[in-house]
């Protein structure tokens, strides 16, 4: 680029020389004759070079203008972004320090609560220690807690099965749970269990009555006409149906012990104090 411009400058000086020659010629008419093929090609070259130079200049201006416009806009964008970044960073820093403060506060709170808990435990321990000797004697003080799915009534827990077994298998199952098929003494007990039985077309549940053991037949909550000992029926079951006239205290039937029914287990939870049924 520079060499071209330099070349052009040279040419210009050549042209100036020519002009001066022309002026000289005008002054002294002796040297009027122009050099053969002199100014023609030079002028053409000069025009060409000038045009080239102009093009180059324009190009340079255009390029510089382009880059002058671009960097400032780009620079402006970066500075705006940098500002945004800086703001975000300071926000984050603030958030972090806030969280650190919160963490510190929570740690202190945790420490305080831990101390409180230790204090309370220290206070409680003597109380527990003094209670322990009482706990050795089974008294009525402890509340009875039945296993999950078992119902509490008057010191006993009851389990109403959803699966069916014959009477001996039902008894074995109840014994495996530390109980026996329910032995029902009072109308209240009978009604409590009855109320918890589901209704159905013919819902029957084994309970703890069989000829194989000594029976208290005569008493009890038999349906009218039962026990009829129809085809060697030795085991007792409670029936609950959709018929609402059927009532708790007239719901016992007897049936062959080999039938498969759901069943009701009982587990006495109060060992001493009264006439709990031994097993
Ligand atoms: C509660 O159980 C005791 C001891 O088994 C019994 O004597 C009493 O009759 C029962 N009470 C009721 C309401 O079932
Ligand atoms: Ca019967």
């Amino acid at each position: 680029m520079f060499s071209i411009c330099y070349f052009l400058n040279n040419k210009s000086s050549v042209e100036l020389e020519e002009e001066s020659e022309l002026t000289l010629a005008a002054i002294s008419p002796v040297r009027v004759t122009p050099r053969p093929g002199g100014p023609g090609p030079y002028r053409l070259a000069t025009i060409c070079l000038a045009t080239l130079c102009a093009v180059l200049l324009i190009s340079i201006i255009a390029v510089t203008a382009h880059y002058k416009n671009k960097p400032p806009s780009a620079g402006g964008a970066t500075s705006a972004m940098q500002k945004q970044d800086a703001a975000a960073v300071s926000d984050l820093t603030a958030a972090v320090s806030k969280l650190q403060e919160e963490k510190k506060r929570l740690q202190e709170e945790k420490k305080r609560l831990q101390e409180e808990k230790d204090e309370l435990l220290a206070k409680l321990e003597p109380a527990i220690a003094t209670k322990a000797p009482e706990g050795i004697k089974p008294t009525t003080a402890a509340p009875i807690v039945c296993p999950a799915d078992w119902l509490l009534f008057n010191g006993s827990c009851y389990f109403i099965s959803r699966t069916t077994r014959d009477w001996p298998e039902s008894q074995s199952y109840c014994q495996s749970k530390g109980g026996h098929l329910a032995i029902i003494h009072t109308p209240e007990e009978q009604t409590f269990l009855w109320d918890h039985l589901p209704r159905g077309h013919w819902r029957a549940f084994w309970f703890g009555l069989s000829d194989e053991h000594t029976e208290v037949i005569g008493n009890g909550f038999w349906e009218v006409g039962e026990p009829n000992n129809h085809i060697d029926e030795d085991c007792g079951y409670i029936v609950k149906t959709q018929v609402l006239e059927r009532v708790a205290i007239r719901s016992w039937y007897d049936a062959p012990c080999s039938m498969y029914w759901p069943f009701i287990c009982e587990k006495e939870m109060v060992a001493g104090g009264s006439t709990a049924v031994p097993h």
Side-chain angles (χ1 to χ4, degrees):
M1 202 191 296
F2 286 108
S3 61
I4 290 164
C5 285
Y6 180 64
F7 193 44
L8 183 75
N9 283 345
N10 280 355
K11 290 295 169 192
S12 300
S13 63
V14 167
E15 206 168 21
L16 280 172
E17 267 174 41
E18 278 173 15
E19 267 174 26
S20 57
E21 267 178 35
L22 280 173
T23 3
L24 280 173
I27 295 159
S28 53
V30 192
R31 292 178 65 183
V32 167
T33 44
R35 277 185 266 168
Y42 279 122
R43 194 153 286 157
L44 196 66
T46 307
I47 288 162
C48 276
L49 284 166
T51 316
L52 257 177
C53 204
V55 166
L56 270 169
L57 265 173
I58 288 161
S59 307
I60 288 161
I61 288 162
V63 166
T64 40
H66 178 74
Y67 276 104
K68 253 183 199 165
N69 285 344
K70 257 236 172 131
S73 69
T78 14
S79 74
M81 275 168 71
Q82 276 172 348
K83 264 185 200 166
Q84 272 184 358
D85 285 353
V89 166
S90 72
D91 279 359
L92 282 175
T93 317
V96 165
S97 65
K98 211 174 165 189
L99 283 174
Q100 275 171 342
E101 271 171 38
E102 182 74 4
K103 186 189 162 198
K104 208 176 146 193
R105 199 183 60 71
L106 285 174
Q107 275 174 339
E108 274 164 18
E109 179 81 0
K110 186 188 159 199
K111 203 179 151 195
R112 198 181 59 73
L113 287 173
Q114 189 82 40
E115 281 169 5
E116 222 165 80
K117 183 192 149 201
D118 288 348
E119 251 174 59
L120 282 173
L121 272 179
K123 270 189 208 163
L124 264 176
E125 251 159 43
I128 292 165
T130 51
K131 266 218 172 156
E134 285 174 32
I136 292 163
K137 276 187 243 164
T139 57
T140 51
I144 296 161
V145 179
C146 289
D149 293 336
W150 290 61
L151 306 161
L152 177 65
F153 176 78
N154 191 30
S156 281
C157 295
Y158 299 88
F159 174 73
I160 298 164
S161 84
R162 291 190 202 88
T163 56
T164 61
R165 289 165 205 260
D166 65 19
W167 195 96
E169 286 171 6
S170 301
Q171 184 70 300
S172 300
Y173 179 89
C174 294
Q175 284 168 350
S176 78
K177 301 292 171 189
H180 50 78
L181 280 169
I183 294 172
I184 303 166
H185 295 282
T186 65
E188 290 84 1
E189 189 178 10
Q190 171 66 30
T191 304
F192 170 81
L193 288 174
W194 164 272
D195 286 346
H196 282 89
L197 298 179
R199 285 191 185 278
H201 175 66
W202 185 264
R203 289 294 189 95
F205 299 84
W206 289 126
F207 66 102
L209 187 73
S210 78
D211 278 343
E212 292 157 24
H213 307 93
T214 47
E215 287 175 47
V216 208
I217 298 179
N219 281 331
F221 307 100
W222 297 101
E223 174 60 285
V224 177
E226 297 285 333
N228 58 12
N229 202 21
H230 178 62
I231 47 168
D232 193 22
E233 296 175 339
D234 292 319
C235 291
Y237 65 95
I238 298 170
V239 169
K240 192 168 181 180
T241 65
Q242 307 281 21
V243 181
L244 298 178
E245 286 74 31
R246 190 183 304 281
V247 290
I249 54 163
R250 283 199 309 277
S251 63
W252 288 9
Y253 288 72
D254 64 343
C257 301
S258 55
M259 292 180 85
Y260 272 67
W261 300 124
F263 50 92
I264 306 168
C265 298
E266 179 181 1
K267 192 154 68 162
E268 280 84 14
M269 302 302 279
V270 183
S274 60
T275 56
V277 178
H279 55 269

